[in-house]
Amino acid sequence: MTSQLFAVSFDAGHPLRVARFWSGVLGWEMSDDARDGVALVPSDDTGFRLRFVASQEPKVEQNRVHFDLTSASAQEQQGTVDAALGHGGRHIDVGQLPEEGHVVLADPEGNEFCVLAPGNRFLAECGFLGALACDGSQEVGYFWSKALGWPLVWDQDEETAIRSPHGGPKITWGGPPVAPKAGRVRVRFELAVPAGEDPGSEVARLLSLGATRIDPATTGDEDGPVALADPDGNEFSVRAPR
């Protein structure tokens, strides 16, 4: 038994505003399932939703996860940049060099993402949302490969990447040095247990792979999603079947 990556969730001061931004950039529609709150449903083979969760905690550091958006041409890259700016995004400087070719932007609440130049061979088989690029160790890449049942598609120089057998974006980890973690991560994975399976058994499996359980007293309803952390300390949750 392996969990499904049901959603990638973002903490947001104004969830609807951020959701509308990403809906405009990605072309995804709002979910009509009230249980998901503010969420977007993919229009391609991405395989997971985006959820935007209300939070009063301000963003104080660069996210450990950002999106890499692909381009088939220079004109398409510029079109994506223009669309993002038109929906409320902005240019940011994270130390990128002009010759690197990609454009670094942020959504209305500062969540970083990149619009890649054409010709990126590593993401050639992926769609517009090419990758979830993560700051993380080789160990955490191995953990998520086993947790999701997704094969490793890159494992060199302590850099790792996995991809669903059904397609969609890659999830990548850049290896050391991994930036120190300050507070709860604002971009998190939400897992869903397959129908007919016991969430408790899946939690036990994830713990055996190297996850740690977060004190339920600090994470809300004990009967709700189970809060865990991966080997790099990134919080994630496991929910009952949908």
Side-chain angles (χ1 to χ4, degrees), residues 94-184:
V94 295
Q96 70 271 25
L97 301 175
E99 60 268 25
E100 290 178 318
H102 60 274
V103 179
V104 184
L105 302 172
D107 72 15
E109 293 202 356
N111 298 300
E112 305 86 0
F113 65 100
C114 295
V115 183
L116 304 183
N120 187 298
R121 290 181 293 176
F122 182 66
L123 301 180
E125 297 179 356
C126 302
F128 180 49
L129 176 49
L132 279 65
C134 307
D135 183 19
S137 65
Q138 184 183 54
E139 178 186 10
V140 87
Y142 291 169
F143 167 83
W144 281 108
S145 176
K146 295 174 182 176
L148 296 174
W150 293 10
L152 285 162
V153 295
W154 182 264
D155 186 12
Q156 294 185 27
D157 301 323
E158 299 189 70
E159 298 178 354
T160 52
I162 63 176
R163 190 183 186 210
S164 168
H166 305 294
K170 294 178 178 178
I171 307 179
T172 70
W173 292 270
V178 178
K181 180 174 177 286
R184 188 173 84 151

Side-chain angles (χ1 to χ4, degrees), residues 48-110:
F48 56 81
R49 302 177 180 211
L50 300 184
R51 289 212 321 126
F52 303 90
V53 181
S55 173
Q56 299 305 312
E57 293 295 325
K59 184 177 185 294
V60 297
E61 62 181 357
Q62 187 172 321
N63 289 336
R64 281 191 166 189
V65 180
H66 70 267
F67 293 157
D68 282 341
L69 306 182
T70 63
S71 305
S73 65
Q75 292 77 13
E76 185 174 293
Q77 182 187 28
Q78 187 59 53
T80 300
V81 171
D82 292 343
L85 297 176
H87 287 295
R90 58 186 172 86
H91 288 276
I92 59 170
D93 183 358
V94 295
Q96 70 271 25
L97 301 175
E99 60 268 25
E100 290 178 318
H102 60 274
V103 179
V104 184
L105 302 172
D107 72 15
E109 293 202 356

